[in-house]
Amino acid sequence: MHGGGVVTLSSAGAGDGYSSEITFTVVMSCLMAASGGLIFGYDISITGGLTQMQSFLKAFFPDILEKMNAATQDEYCIFDSQLLTTFVSSLYLAGMFACLVAGHITKKIGRRNSMLIGASLFFVGSVLNCTAVNVAMLVIGRVFLGFAVGFTNQSAPVYLAEIAPARWRGAFTSIFHFFLNVGMFVADLVNYRANTIAVWGWRLSLGVGIVPATVILVGAAFIPDSPNSLVLRGKTDAARASLQRIRGRSADVGVELRDIVQAAEEDRRHESGAFRRIVRREYRPHLVMAVAIPLFFELTGMIVVTLFTPLLFYTIGFTSQKAILGSIITDVVSLVSIAVAAVAVDRVGRRSLFMVGGGILLACLVAMAWIFGAELGTNGEKAMSRPYAVAVVAVVCLFTAGFGVSWGPLKWIIPSEIYPLEVRSAGQAMSEAISLALTFAQTQSFLNMLCSFKYGSFAYNAGWVVVMTVFIFFFLPETKGVPIESLREVWARHWYWKRFVKPLPTPPPPSSASKVVDGPV
């Protein structure tokens, strides 16, 4: 079916007999897992306010402070500093390497234990940053935070997708992105207050991250591991108990457990590792999406909004305090739009949100390129008039809304659900490693790119939005409502991917299946 289309599953057992009950255990487990996104969001956004906070710049980057106070300067180039971007981007480079290791470790020790490792690293990194006395200590702390991101971003979305009821999987998985934005909102609120504290205000900004890290470290110890992960490690009895706890004591979990066991047995039929397996022909669509989704996510232009909003607002003439306030406004818009996406994603589907978001992002990026070009010119020496500065804030808010209902949450939903169990850890690790590598590249280059290309930076991202929207339209099938271990049928019926993916054999009748479930794995 051209355009991706909606594939209807008609084969027996494709979700029949699954419980869609939302229990207290599944809600609390999802909230705890998604809290890893809260710290990630906090660490993303805290740097945006810090990098134009006078107490922080005076302590570590006095050369930038001199440019900010200069009588004349190129507005595009105030924050163009390799040392500053190294501080910001070191987290993403460390996270990229950690993701590749975490994929193997998560498969061996489970999703929950991987999240515990991440929470511990978050705690250590936050302490180092809060007590930093030089740039080297700041960077080392950010590296620890990057390792934490590698473990939590690899394991938490997969955990959410595996324990959520199939009917509501999109909404539950989007909680990770919602919490990520809550973290960004909290970071901007903290920066707004810390910016008024002379000398040590920056320590408050970096130190608050210790609190959620501690809460998650303690809370993650009390949630069950996902049944899929337990079966994959040969713990069928524990998986049954976990599934019963997640779905409710009265729920019949036999059919769902049977499908999980069948997926695990498919994994054991392969001797090669998951990373070598995912490059095979039958996993071609999964490999393409593992690369394309994070690549396009990073090229939406989101790096401007999520990391550098305060700097962007400072560039167009806002004071330091008003620039942070502008970032808080965009955070509120983002949270509202993500809530809308959570409600809509399992009703209208993933593809519809991608299409709507693509149109909004394209319009906003073209508008920003035009406003910056007309008002600041090519040399950045002109000051932006107030009406146009207000227009930039409005366009950034609209951009944030478009991103929040589409690529923001869907970047976490799609990779966490599309991979078969036998390559799920590898696929998620690869996807997140690529995303973090591209974030590192963009944080290293965006301020220099803004200085060199001026308003053309926004036009560059607009071109990519066109490409990614066309790609989604033709190559991403609809996955809403399909049980996670039955998604192979979706790929096997897609107009293009069916040449690579063949449907699994019809599962055995229930009487035979129960013997498989009850027996050793």
Side-chain angles (χ1 to χ4, degrees):
M1 181 182 296
H2 288 274
V6 177
V7 177
T8 303
L9 295 182
S10 58
S11 60
D16 295 340
Y18 277 43
S19 171
S20 60
E21 182 182 355
I22 299 176
T23 64
F24 176 78
T25 298
V26 79
V27 170
M28 295 308 298
S29 298
C30 284
L31 289 176
M32 187 56 62
S35 295
L38 189 149
I39 307 183
F40 183 34
Y42 187 89
D43 289 320
I44 287 174
S45 195
I46 204 69
T47 56
L50 276 177
T51 48
Q52 48 88 61
M53 191 180 294
Q54 293 208 9
S55 62
F56 180 75
L57 294 175
K58 185 176 181 180
F60 299 103
F61 305 98
D63 55 322
I64 296 177
L65 193 59
E66 289 179 12
K67 286 196 289 183
M68 291 173 66
N69 296 327
T72 60
Q73 68 268 328
D74 184 342
E75 296 288 352
Y76 290 111
C77 301
I78 293 175
F79 300 99
D80 183 21
S81 165
Q82 193 60 45
L83 190 60
L84 179 65
T85 52
T86 298
F87 160 67
V88 174
S89 62
S90 55
L91 181 149
Y92 307 102
L93 184 63
M96 177 193 70
F97 288 113
C99 267
L100 298 175
V101 175
H104 176 74
I105 294 176
T106 299
K107 187 175 180 180
K108 295 296 183 184
I109 68 174
R111 324 295 191 210
R112 185 193 64 176
N113 291 333
S114 185
M115 288 187 284
L116 282 169
I117 293 174
S120 303
L121 293 169
F122 270 129
F123 181 84
V124 174
S126 297
V127 170
L128 283 172
N129 273 347
C130 178
T131 58
V133 295
N134 52 46
V135 175
M137 199 168 173
L138 281 177
V139 172
I140 292 172
R142 290 282 287 179
V143 167
F144 270 96
L145 293 174
F147 289 148
V149 165
F151 277 90
T152 55
N153 285 15
Q154 194 280 331
S155 55
V158 172
Y159 179 88
L160 290 166
E162 288 181 341
I163 72 169
R167 183 181 176 187
W168 307 110
R169 187 175 62 247
F172 274 93
T173 310
S174 69
I175 294 174
F176 187 87
H177 186 67
F178 182 83
F179 271 52
L180 187 150
N181 279 264
V182 169
M184 294 171 66
F185 177 61
V186 171
D188 286 329
L189 288 177
V190 172
N191 276 339
Y192 189 74
R193 177 67 182 94
N195 197 40
T196 64
I197 303 173
V199 184
W200 60 271
W202 63 271
R203 292 192 188 275
L204 174 65
S205 293
L206 293 173
V208 168
I210 297 172
V211 178
T214 304
V215 172
I216 296 171
L217 184 60
V218 174
F222 295 95
I223 62 176
D225 206 347
S226 75
N228 312 63
S229 176
L230 290 166
V231 169
L232 200 60
R233 286 143 56 206
K235 301 180 179 181
T236 312
D237 291 337
R240 183 190 291 277
S242 175
L243 194 58
Q244 199 74 64
R245 181 180 171 189
I246 291 168
R247 298 290 178 249
R249 296 299 177 188
S250 61
D252 182 0
V253 299
V255 174
E256 185 172 359
L257 186 58
R258 180 199 68 195
D259 288 348
I260 295 172
V261 169
Q262 185 183 16
E265 288 175 345
E266 178 69 16
D267 170 67
R268 293 187 180 92
R269 278 195 281 269
H270 300 274
E271 295 181 359
S272 58
F275 279 105
R276 283 181 290 175
R277 197 180 308 160
I278 200 172
V279 300
R280 292 179 177 176
R281 178 181 172 83
E282 61 264 34
Y283 299 108
R284 188 64 48 80
H286 310 96
L287 179 62
V288 169
M289 294 302 165
V291 176
I293 295 297
L295 173 65
F296 290 147
F297 174 83
E298 297 297 331
L299 292 171
T300 55
M302 52 75 66
I303 198 72
V304 178
V305 177
T306 54
L307 268 68
F308 297 113
T309 299
L311 302 192
L312 186 65
F313 288 159
Y314 191 92
T315 297
I316 63 176
F318 285 27
T319 63
S320 177
Q321 195 71 347
K322 287 183 177 179
I324 297 175
L325 181 61
S327 188
I328 292 173
I329 293 172
T330 63
D331 290 337
V332 173
V333 173
S334 183
L335 289 172
V336 172
S337 61
I338 296 166
V340 171
V343 172
V345 68
D346 290 312
R347 290 176 169 83
V348 304
R350 282 68 160 150
R351 284 166 41 80
S352 296
L353 294 183
F354 270 128
M355 296 300 106
V356 171
I360 295 173
L361 296 184
L362 178 61
C364 291
L365 288 166
V366 171
M368 280 195 279
W370 178 76
I371 294 173
F372 272 70
E375 286 296 297
L376 295 183
T378 57
N379 54 20
E381 293 179 356
K382 295 162 57 179
M384 185 172 291
S385 60
R386 182 173 179 79
Y388 280 96
V390 172
V392 169
V393 175
V395 171
V396 169
C397 286
L398 183 59
F399 179 96
T400 303
F403 182 77
V405 298
S406 60
W407 282 93
L410 291 171
K411 181 259 184 178
W412 302 102
I413 295 173
I414 298 299
S416 68
E417 68 182 7
I418 63 172
Y419 305 114
L421 182 61
E422 65 267 19
V423 295
R424 190 167 296 151
S425 290
Q428 179 68 14
M430 181 184 297
S431 180
E432 193 55 30
I434 291 170
S435 181
L436 290 168
L438 291 169
T439 303
F440 168 75
Q442 289 208 83
T443 51
Q444 277 290 101
S445 62
F446 173 71
L447 292 175
N448 181 262
M449 185 177 177
L450 184 63
C451 181
S452 301
F453 296 160
K454 318 299 183 185
Y455 59 87
S457 302
F458 303 105
Y460 167 80
N461 290 119
W464 277 109
V465 169
V466 174
V467 173
M468 65 184 70
T469 304
V470 171
F471 174 86
I472 292 295
F473 181 80
F474 283 106
F475 295 105
L476 182 70
E478 184 56 69
T479 58
K480 70 169 183 175
V482 183
I484 194 169
E485 304 303 351
S486 301
L487 280 170
R488 185 186 185 97
E489 290 289 328
V490 173
W491 298 105
R493 298 185 182 190
H494 185 269
W495 71 273
Y496 180 76
W497 299 122
K498 65 183 180 182
R499 68 189 66 186
F500 301 101
V501 182
K502 304 303 178 186
L504 286 173
T506 303
S511 58
S512 301
S514 60
K515 295 178 182 179
V516 175
V517 171
D518 294 333
V521 177

